[in-house]
């Protein structure tokens, strides 16, 4: 945790005072594709989430020590949020950076639209008038439609629908980001991908991550045997290390892509 404790205060300060990309920078140019929902904002969204989860994890460790399961959920969230920012920022081709950011924005709008559609169908929306229902759907539907139009007219691909490109999975996004940590040594990427799977197992309430370590068995009075779940300092430290590497890389890429071009 030493490296996290060293970097976390800087990260927290940075997300409280976001900096717009310098005029003429790569990220500034990317932002012109859709100024209302710029590429930089989609990348910054991941940095905020990664940093906030790492900060809560640090608080949890300070007050409660290592817990058996719950802290892996925080690690997983930080790991994915940072990886998604890397997925947006890392490509050298501007069209790919813009495309990936548009995917993130589109997924946000699509989920917001779905949530409001389900709300209207539920008991909570029973008393809404047709006008109120239409008003609830108008904003997210408009954003979904606008994102699709930007994709088609400016970036040359189709978002959503049967004919549209499929969204990249969370696991593939983490895998992509992991390869950029150390391009000459595949062990770093393999380790990050392994910790992603382990963290995801814990976050989804699955038991298989516990099978990776020696069992501590508890026997009940009637003879039934249960695994005793205890905190694992080493496994958690490895997960934190993976999240820290990705978050550090994401902040570096944001600074690099948003820097003014050399005169």
């Amino acid at each position: 945790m030493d490296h996290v404790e060293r970097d976390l205060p800087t990260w927290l300060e940075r997300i409280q005072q976001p900096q717009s990309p310098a005029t003429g920078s790569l990220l500034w140019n990317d932002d012109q594709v859709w100024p209302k929902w710029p590429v930089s904002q989609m990348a910054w969204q991941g940095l905020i989430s990664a940093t906030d989860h790492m900060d809560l994890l640090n608080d949890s460790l300070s007050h409660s020590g290592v817990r058996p399961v719950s802290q892996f959920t925080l690690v997983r969230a930080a790991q994915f949020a940072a990886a998604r920012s890397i997925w947006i920022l890392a490509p050298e081709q501007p069209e790919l950076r813009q495309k990936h950011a548009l995917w993130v924005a589109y997924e946000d709008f699509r989920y917001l639209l779905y949530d409001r559609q389900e709300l209207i169908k539920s008991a909570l929306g029973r008393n809404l008038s047709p006008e109120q229902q239409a008003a609830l759907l108008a904003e997210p539907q408009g954003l979904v439609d606008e994102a699709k139009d930007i994709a088609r007219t400016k970036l040359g691909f189709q978002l959503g629908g049967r004919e549209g490109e499929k969204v990249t999975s969370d696991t593939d996004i983490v895998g992509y980001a992991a390869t950029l940590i150390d391009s000459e040594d595949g062990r770093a990427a393999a380790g990050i991908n392994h910790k992603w799977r382990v963290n995801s197992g814990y976050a989804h309430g699955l038991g298989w991550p516990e099978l990776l370590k020696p069992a501590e068995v508890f026997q009940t009075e009637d003879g039934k045997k249960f695994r005793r779940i205890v905190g694992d300092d080493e496994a958690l430290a490895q997960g934190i290390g993976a999240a820290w590497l990705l978050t550090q890389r994401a902040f570096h890429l944001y600074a690099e892509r948003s820097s003014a071009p050399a005169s």
Side-chain angles (χ1 to χ4, degrees):
M1 283 292 292
D2 291 347
H3 40 285
V4 175
E5 292 175 353
R6 180 197 68 206
D7 293 338
L8 191 54
T10 301
W11 295 346
L12 287 167
E13 183 177 355
R14 289 185 66 182
I15 65 171
Q16 292 299 324
Q17 300 178 349
Q19 297 293 316
S20 294
T23 302
S25 67
L26 294 176
L27 202 47
W28 183 87
N29 286 321
D30 290 338
D31 285 352
Q32 307 316 304
V33 171
W34 195 10
K36 186 164 70 174
W37 294 96
V39 175
S40 59
Q41 182 172 316
M42 294 299 99
W44 196 256
Q45 180 174 295
L47 294 175
I48 291 173
S49 180
T51 302
D52 191 52
H53 281 92
M54 294 286 276
D55 189 35
L56 179 57
L57 176 60
N58 189 48
D59 285 348
S60 174
L61 287 168
S62 297
H63 291 92
S64 304
V66 175
R67 301 181 68 89
V69 174
S70 57
Q71 290 163 338
F72 289 97
T73 301
L74 299 174
V75 175
R76 180 188 188 273
Q79 191 176 3
F80 175 68
R84 193 173 62 179
S85 291
I86 293 172
W87 184 64
I88 293 171
L89 295 167
E92 294 297 333
Q93 307 96 316
E95 296 82 5
L96 269 184
R97 296 195 298 271
Q98 296 155 16
K99 181 179 181 178
H100 290 175
L102 188 59
W103 260 119
V104 173
Y106 171 73
E107 286 294 286
D108 280 347
F109 306 148
R110 188 173 68 85
Y111 278 117
L112 177 60
L113 177 60
Y114 173 75
D115 177 68
R116 291 191 177 179
Q117 289 170 335
E118 293 300 304
L119 178 66
I120 287 170
K121 291 188 294 184
S122 74
L124 294 173
R126 186 176 299 151
N127 296 323
L128 293 175
S129 68
E131 293 78 13
Q132 290 173 318
Q133 293 180 11
L136 269 179
L137 297 177
E139 179 190 15
Q141 184 66 66
L143 290 169
V144 165
D145 293 342
E146 193 172 354
K148 288 181 175 180
D149 183 64
I150 294 288
R152 185 182 70 255
T153 61
K154 294 189 176 182
L155 297 178
F157 76 103
Q158 183 174 329
L159 271 173
R162 291 184 179 180
E163 304 302 321
E165 294 188 21
K166 303 305 178 186
V167 65
T168 304
S169 71
D170 295 356
T171 295
D172 286 342
I173 288 174
V174 172
Y176 169 85
T179 63
L180 302 180
I181 298 301
D182 188 341
S183 59
E184 297 181 357
D185 188 346
R187 290 177 298 180
I192 289 172
N193 288 326
H194 169 66
K195 295 315 298 182
W196 166 253
R197 294 189 294 271
V198 170
N199 297 337
S200 296
Y202 278 118
H204 289 96
L206 303 178
W208 73 264
E210 285 296 319
L211 302 179
L212 297 173
K213 57 188 181 183
E216 293 189 33
V217 178
F218 173 81
Q219 185 166 320
T220 62
E221 291 182 358
D222 60 355
K224 294 179 181 177
K225 294 182 179 180
F226 292 83
R227 295 178 67 94
R228 189 188 302 275
I229 306 302
V230 296
D232 188 331
D233 295 33
E234 183 177 356
L236 185 63
Q238 291 171 352
I240 293 170
W244 169 76
L245 283 169
L246 292 169
T247 306
Q248 183 187 55
R249 180 66 171 161
F251 270 111
H252 174 78
L253 279 168
Y254 188 91
E256 186 179 80
R257 299 297 193 214
S258 61
S259 297
S263 56

